[in-house]
Amino acid sequence: MTDAPTQRPSRAGLYAPFIIVLIALAAWTGWWFYLTRQIDAGLEAQSAALRQQGWDVRYADKRIVGWPFRANVKLTHVTIAAPSGHAISAPELNAEANAYQPTKWVVVAPEGLVLTRAGKGKVAVNGDAIRMSASGIDQRWPNLALELVNPIFTVHPDGEPFPIARAARIEFYSRPHLEGSTAPSDAIDVMFRLVDGQGRRDGPVEGFAQDGQLTTQLEATIGRADLLKVGDAAGVFSQWTQGGGTFRNLRGDLQAGDSRATLSSDVLKADANGRLTGQVALQSQKPLPALSGLLESRQGSVNRIGAAGAAAAAGAADAAGREDMALTLVFRDGRTWLGPFPLAPAPKLF
């Protein structure tokens, strides 16, 4: 009597996990290629739209890599120039996002940048890191962050002087301003931070910092941010100014050598010529060294007579044993005034 043949166990259960992985990998690969095609098409469409508005947008080569989990756009010999004459160029720009979170990007300039200032020439920017991040790019106001680590600024031979020679860090942040607790408005909150900045030789920043380092942090709300149009040949702040744009709730602090000050202003805006107008309240500590250093600077547009008067007033207070002084910085008629003393031209926004 012969035994019945024994049925072999099925091996389908052994192959099932591998099949599932292969299906998932194929699906994810399909998504990655779809996403990168969308990114490529969006980049080309945005470049074309800017060119129609008068921009010059050029790059020598473009590659999109990073499979499976990242989308990395690599551009070489990039130039982005606005109609106003301001421009940025870089030997290489890398923009990267996670494939599962394509609304958050990080842009890095590994070989530095060259900034073109309209009418003032070019300045090269190099450092340990130059990067910008943008999150929520599908929203009306994305969150932006710009960070420069140990930047060095070198003016090209035909360019006008740049106020800063180097710094430990320069940071800029922007986010939507919330009215109340949750409702976004037409305003954005911004913050600028300069850490251990060193002015150019014999320049006003070097004098103001008493040959030391300048550190400052400023925060403000930009009203009518919807009017910040980058395509205008007159500059980004031109239409914003004409439409009633303002800087609101300015707060900050400043340290220049031995001198310190806290700053506050309810409203600042620009006049028809693009010069800042309004006033800033200063609660200063030991202002005399900074004002004396500003007077001794041998380059720039500092009004030496006005600086001398302001330094004399601060010296009289210092002689009276008062290290703390309440001062008011006024921007009017295209000039910067400290009390009755004109110091320099008012900052120009466009």
Side-chain angles (χ1 to χ4, degrees):
M1 183 175 179
T2 59
D3 296 334
T6 304
Q7 186 175 7
R8 294 182 178 180
S10 174
R11 296 184 178 180
L14 297 177
Y15 299 137
F18 297 99
I19 294 172
I20 294 173
V21 170
L22 289 175
I23 293 174
L25 183 60
W28 183 262
T29 300
W31 158 252
W32 187 87
F33 279 104
Y34 170 79
L35 175 65
T36 53
R37 283 196 298 269
Q38 293 295 107
I39 293 171
D40 188 24
L43 178 61
E44 292 298 325
Q46 183 63 44
S47 299
L50 288 173
R51 293 186 187 109
Q52 289 181 353
Q53 298 174 21
W55 288 63
D56 180 17
V57 180
R58 289 177 284 129
Y59 42 86
D61 182 58
K62 174 184 60 181
R63 293 187 300 131
I64 303 180
V65 297
W67 181 88
F69 299 117
R70 297 183 182 277
N72 192 330
V73 182
K74 294 180 176 291
L75 303 175
T76 59
H77 301 292
V78 184
T79 296
I80 305 173
S84 61
H86 297 289
I88 182 173
S89 59
E92 181 180 352
L93 283 181
N94 297 329
E96 185 176 275
N98 291 322
Y100 52 84
Q101 193 181 15
T103 60
K104 182 177 181 179
W105 286 83
V106 176
V107 182
V108 179
E111 297 183 32
L113 302 169
V114 174
L115 302 178
T116 299
R117 301 164 293 161
K120 296 183 178 180
K122 298 180 179 181
V123 56
V125 186
N126 293 281
D128 293 344
I130 301 174
R131 52 181 173 253
M132 184 185 76
S133 66
S135 60
I137 61 173
D138 56 338
Q139 302 173 6
R140 183 187 184 191
W141 305 118
N143 293 306
L144 302 177
L146 174 65
E147 183 181 27
L148 287 74
V149 181
N150 292 320
I152 299 173
F153 301 90
T154 305
V155 177
H156 284 205
D158 58 344
E160 291 187 11
F162 196 71
I164 299 294
R166 63 177 64 233
R169 298 182 76 88
I170 296 178
E171 301 171 357
F172 174 82
Y173 302 95
S174 170
R175 67 181 183 185
H177 177 71
L178 299 180
E179 296 288 358
S181 58
T182 58
S185 66
D186 63 355
I188 57 176
D189 295 330
V190 295
M191 182 178 75
F192 171 79
R193 179 183 293 136
L194 169 68
V195 179
D196 293 343
Q198 297 180 19
R200 69 176 188 272
R201 184 173 180 81
D202 296 331
V205 173
E206 183 188 65
F208 187 70
Q210 308 123 61
D211 295 334
Q213 296 175 332
L214 174 66
T215 295
T216 184
Q217 177 173 310
L218 299 172
E219 302 179 31
T221 297
I222 299 180
R224 296 307 308 272
D226 54 309
L227 296 177
L228 294 173
K229 304 296 185 181
V230 295
D232 191 341
V236 66
F237 287 102
S238 176
Q239 293 187 29
W240 175 81
T241 298
Q242 296 173 12
T246 58
F247 295 103
R248 307 195 309 260
N249 301 322
L250 173 70
R251 299 292 183 271
D253 56 76
L254 180 149
Q255 180 174 350
D258 295 330
S259 304
R260 297 186 178 185
T262 58
L263 303 82
S264 64
S265 177
D266 292 334
V267 178
L268 293 173
K269 56 184 180 179
D271 62 19
N273 296 319
R275 296 286 183 181
L276 202 64
T277 65
Q279 64 182 36
V280 177
L282 302 174
Q283 188 62 42
S284 60
Q285 299 178 9
K286 296 183 179 180
L288 177 59
L291 293 172
S292 298
L294 187 65
L295 175 63
E296 294 172 2
S297 63
R298 292 180 289 277
Q299 296 180 9
S301 54
V302 175
N303 185 313
R304 298 180 65 84
I305 297 177
D318 185 65
R322 294 161 47 202
E323 291 189 348
D324 295 352
M325 293 182 63
L327 303 171
T328 300
L329 198 65
V330 179
F331 306 108
R332 73 172 188 271
D333 303 326
R335 308 292 295 175
T336 300
W337 302 75
L338 185 62
F341 306 107
L343 297 181
K348 187 174 178 62
L349 299 185
F350 65 88

